[in-house]
Amino acid sequence: MKLLSMCTLAKWHIWLGWLVGVPIVMWLATGLFMVARPIDEVRGNHLRIESEAIPLKMPGSSLATEEANLREMRIVMQGGRAVAVLTDMDGIVTRVDVATGAAIPPLDAAAARALVAAQIVGGDKAERVTLFPADRTPFDFRRPIAVWQVQLADGTNVYVGQGTGEIEAVRTRWWRAFDLAWGLHIMDLSEREDTSHPVLIAFAALSLTGALIGCVLMFRRPRPSPARRRPW
C-alpha cells in the first residue's frame, strides 16, 4: 500500500511537472531577459542628451521672475484657494497664495495632522507626527523633500510635504512588507531599486538552466528500482 501510494505521488509529480514546467520556464526566461539590461537603458534614458537647466521665467508674472530662480511652478487648489507650489533650482519648495501673492508658511505639525485627518481614512487616529529633513527621509519614503511623517494607529505612515502642503505618500504595513518582498525578489535589500546586477542575473540564469534540465529529464521514463524487479 505504501509503495502504491508513493508510485501514485510520483505519477502526479510528473504530470504536475508537465503542467507547471512551461510557465516556470517562461517566467524564468522572461525574468532573465528583463534583468539583463538596466531599466534606465530599457527606458532609453541613456540616449537623452543632458542640457543645462534653465530657470523658469514668465513675462508679466510676479512669481516666475528671474530673481525667483524657479525650476517648476504648479497651481493647485488647497483649502479652497489657488496656491502656487514653487520649486527653485536647488529643490527648495515654497507656496504662494495666487490671489494675494502672499507667501504661505511651511506646514507645522498641527496642520499636517489636520490634513491627514481630513484626507485619509482613519487619519484622525494619529499617534505621532515627526518632521524629517530632505537629506534624512525615512527608508519607506526615499524622496529628497522635507516631510512630516504622521503615524496612524493601524501602523500606516502618511507623509505630508512640509513645503508642498500635500500628501506625498501613504505607506501601509502591507506596503512595507511588499517593499521588503520586492527587495528580496530583485536581491537588492539596500536600495530596492536595482533590477539589473550580476548576482540577480547569475541566479536567474542558473534557475532557468535548472528548469530546462528538469523539463528535459521529464522525457526520460524512470526505471524501476532493483528491489522491485521481478526475478526471472
Side-chain angles (χ1 to χ4, degrees):
M1 190 67 177
K2 183 178 180 181
L3 289 177
L4 179 62
S5 176
M6 295 299 292
C7 290
T8 303
L9 289 176
K11 291 180 180 179
W12 288 355
H13 179 73
I14 292 174
W15 282 109
L16 285 175
W18 281 110
L19 183 63
V20 304
V22 173
I24 286 177
V25 170
M26 179 183 65
W27 292 334
L28 292 173
T30 54
L32 178 60
F33 173 79
M34 288 188 292
V35 304
R37 305 301 302 172
I39 190 63
D40 284 338
E41 291 188 17
V42 175
R43 292 171 176 167
N45 292 338
H46 66 297
L47 300 177
R48 297 179 181 271
I49 299 175
E50 295 292 336
S51 58
E52 184 179 358
I54 301 176
L56 175 65
K57 291 183 291 185
M58 297 176 59
S61 172
S62 60
L63 299 177
T65 62
E66 186 173 357
E67 294 76 17
N69 198 32
L70 295 181
R71 184 178 67 193
E72 180 184 83
M73 179 175 67
R74 296 186 296 116
I75 307 297
V76 297
M77 291 297 294
Q78 292 183 358
R81 60 179 174 176
V83 174
V85 181
L86 311 175
T87 306
D88 67 13
M89 299 299 287
D90 296 325
I92 299 175
V93 181
T94 55
R95 292 181 299 158
V96 174
D97 189 312
V98 174
T100 64
I104 301 175
L107 254 66
D108 57 15
R113 184 188 292 266
L115 181 64
V116 172
Q119 298 188 9
I120 298 295
V121 175
D124 56 336
K125 298 180 177 60
E127 295 186 340
R128 184 183 304 172
V129 181
T130 308
L131 177 63
F132 289 90
D135 58 346
R136 292 198 303 273
T137 55
F139 189 71
D140 63 347
F141 184 66
R142 298 201 290 272
R143 288 172 56 192
I145 62 172
V147 289
W148 289 100
Q149 181 195 67
V150 182
Q151 296 181 342
L152 305 184
D154 63 356
T156 299
N157 292 333
V158 182
Y159 291 98
V160 181
Q162 184 188 31
T164 64
E166 299 174 319
I167 293 178
E168 299 291 338
V170 180
R171 303 298 191 228
T172 65
R173 288 179 175 176
W174 281 110
W175 189 98
R176 293 194 290 273
F178 181 93
D179 189 48
L180 175 61
W182 170 252
L184 292 171
H185 184 69
I186 64 173
M187 298 183 178
D188 178 21
L189 286 176
S190 58
E191 300 296 333
R192 299 176 190 175
E193 294 180 356
D194 189 358
T195 58
S196 178
H197 54 86
V199 175
L200 180 59
I201 294 173
F203 273 98
L206 288 173
S207 300
L208 178 59
T209 302
L212 289 172
I213 292 174
C215 288
V216 171
L217 289 177
M218 285 192 296
F219 286 97
R220 184 177 66 88
R221 180 172 298 180
R223 296 180 180 178
S225 62
R228 295 179 54 198
R229 291 178 182 173
R230 295 183 180 180
W232 299 97

